[in-house]
Amino acid sequence: MCSRSLKLALDDSARVVESHVEFEVCIRTHYALLLEPYSKRPFFYKTALKFNRLMVSFALLSAYFSQAVPLLSKVKALCVARGFCSRNGLESIFLLFRALGFMKVAGHPDDSRLRVFSPSSQACREVRSMLACVVEPLGMLYPQNSLIRQLGELDDRAFLAVYFKGFARMFEANVTLDQLLPECYWLVNRDAGHLLMLAIYNDACALDKTGAGFRSSSYLSLAEQLSVSKTHVIRLVREGADRGYFKIHSKTQLEVLPPFVVLVRRFMAYSFAISLHSLQSDQAAGL
């Protein structure tokens, strides 16, 4: 499938997902599931889930599961070209992953100038847990999809092989979320941004409404729950107000405006659509 065809297919899937009767429940399920691993290691996850950091991890896993010889140099080139990180920043991330026992690096057997890598069992377990927050809601959206049902029978490495062989196509076609929905970048590329975005959305939106008031007295509880400072939350809110997503009425009252609700719904619809197409790629047909 060419880049344009894949983009159109993702657009269509996102529209279907957003119109699904269970979509709002799936957003809340996604948040609750993601909060589980986050709450156990908040100081790791609040930076690991920043969009650019997350895409570096996804680039590593996509290369490992889709290429015969996964080279760090190719991952570096992709991440630098997409603006996810500088070369020096990537080296720091790779060193951290190695120190945490998430990644093993070795010399290429035929070329000493090159380095090959592989994820550890611990890393596969962590990523599987994180991806469950997207894949499990897909089962609610597509209860008749046999592929999604079969995923639960796979071990961690086999599960990731299915997902990231498909996700590699997203990189090839340049249809990652920053390209599909660049207006969400200011939210998700900050510490705990993804979860803060959803927490504000969940507070402001009842299942049968488009938006409501959000009290700033909740800032402290949000900050404590996600292990960020209250100032960090306030900065997000102020930037959102400048962008037209919030209206600050006073020190105690924040109004969540419809554009924010639309943005979060589109972000989650595309997130589910990307995961669905990753799982259903031609490379996953042998499952």
Side-chain angles (χ1 to χ4, degrees), residues 30 33 129-139 141 163 268 271-276:
H30 166 80
L33 289 171
S129 174
M130 184 184 67
L131 288 177
C133 72
V134 180
V135 176
E136 286 190 29
L138 282 180
L141 295 168
Y163 191 94
M268 290 308 305
S271 295
F272 289 133
I274 287 172
S275 289
L276 178 67

Side-chain angles (χ1 to χ4, degrees), residues 78-95:
L78 184 150
C79 291
V80 171
R82 301 295 171 88
F84 296 146
C85 202
S86 67
R87 289 189 177 274
N88 289 338
L90 286 168
E91 285 293 347
S92 296
I93 293 172
F94 297 159
L95 284 173

Side-chain angles (χ1 to χ4, degrees), residues 18-285:
E18 193 168 354
S19 65
H20 197 287
V21 67
E22 297 291 342
F23 180 53
E24 288 291 342
V25 175
C26 288
I27 292 177
R28 284 158 176 76
T29 300
H30 166 80
Y31 177 76
L33 289 171
L34 186 55
L35 197 57
E36 288 184 33
Y38 184 98
S39 62
K40 295 174 182 176
R41 304 182 67 191
F43 294 102
F44 170 72
Y45 274 108
K46 73 178 182 180
T47 54
L49 291 175
K50 287 176 67 172
F51 184 80
N52 282 358
R53 286 286 189 104
L54 187 65
M55 286 299 99
V56 171
S57 299
F58 276 32
L60 285 165
L61 291 164
S62 294
Y64 178 77
F65 286 109
S66 66
Q67 299 172 10
V69 182
L71 299 175
L72 276 181
S73 58
K74 288 189 176 181
V75 174
K76 277 187 180 181
L78 184 150
C79 291
V80 171
R82 301 295 171 88
F84 296 146
C85 202
S86 67
R87 289 189 177 274
N88 289 338
L90 286 168
E91 285 293 347
S92 296
I93 293 172
F94 297 159
L95 284 173
L96 175 63
F97 285 168
R98 294 175 71 179
L100 291 172
F102 287 167
M103 183 171 72
K104 300 175 182 177
V105 177
H108 191 285
D110 300 322
D111 190 338
S112 60
R113 297 170 299 175
L114 301 175
R115 292 181 294 167
V116 298
F117 65 92
S118 62
S120 67
S121 297
Q122 179 188 357
C124 291
R125 184 167 58 253
E126 291 266 2
V127 176
R128 169 96 180 252
S129 174
M130 184 184 67
L131 288 177
C133 72
V134 180
V135 176
E136 286 190 29
L138 282 180
M140 300 167 63
L141 295 168
Y142 299 94
Q144 305 305 316
N145 189 304
S146 60
L147 177 62
I148 294 173
R149 292 199 304 272
Q150 291 176 52
L151 289 172
E153 302 172 7
L154 301 179
D155 63 29
D156 295 339
R157 200 168 290 269
F159 176 95
L160 297 188
V162 173
Y163 191 94
F164 285 106
K165 283 179 182 177
F167 199 90
R169 296 176 59 233
M170 306 301 157
F171 282 124
E172 292 169 4
N174 201 22
V175 289
T176 48
L177 271 165
D178 56 316
Q179 299 299 313
L180 294 170
L181 203 62
E183 56 267 40
C184 74
Y185 189 78
W186 70 276
L187 266 172
V188 296
N189 196 44
R190 63 175 71 213
D191 285 357
H194 182 91
L195 283 166
L196 281 169
M197 172 186 73
L198 292 176
I200 293 172
Y201 176 89
N202 289 341
D203 265 8
C205 302
L207 290 177
D208 59 346
K209 297 180 180 179
T210 57
F214 177 77
R215 297 190 62 79
S216 63
S217 57
S218 298
Y219 291 0
L220 183 58
S221 62
L222 276 177
E224 290 176 344
Q225 183 181 34
L226 299 177
S227 297
V228 296
S229 68
K230 184 178 176 181
T231 301
H232 184 71
V233 179
I234 292 172
R235 284 173 179 163
L236 181 149
V237 168
R238 286 176 177 168
E239 183 171 353
D242 291 340
R243 292 173 178 270
Y245 292 111
F246 309 128
K247 186 179 290 185
I248 301 172
H249 293 289
S250 68
K251 292 183 179 180
T252 61
Q253 188 71 38
L254 169 73
E255 182 183 356
V256 173
L257 300 177
F260 180 78
V261 176
V262 171
L263 179 66
V264 176
R265 287 176 59 86
R266 289 186 66 204
F267 178 88
M268 290 308 305
Y270 272 119
S271 295
F272 289 133
I274 287 172
S275 289
L276 178 67
H277 282 267
S278 295
L279 294 171
Q280 293 186 152
S281 69
D282 293 340
Q283 295 151 310

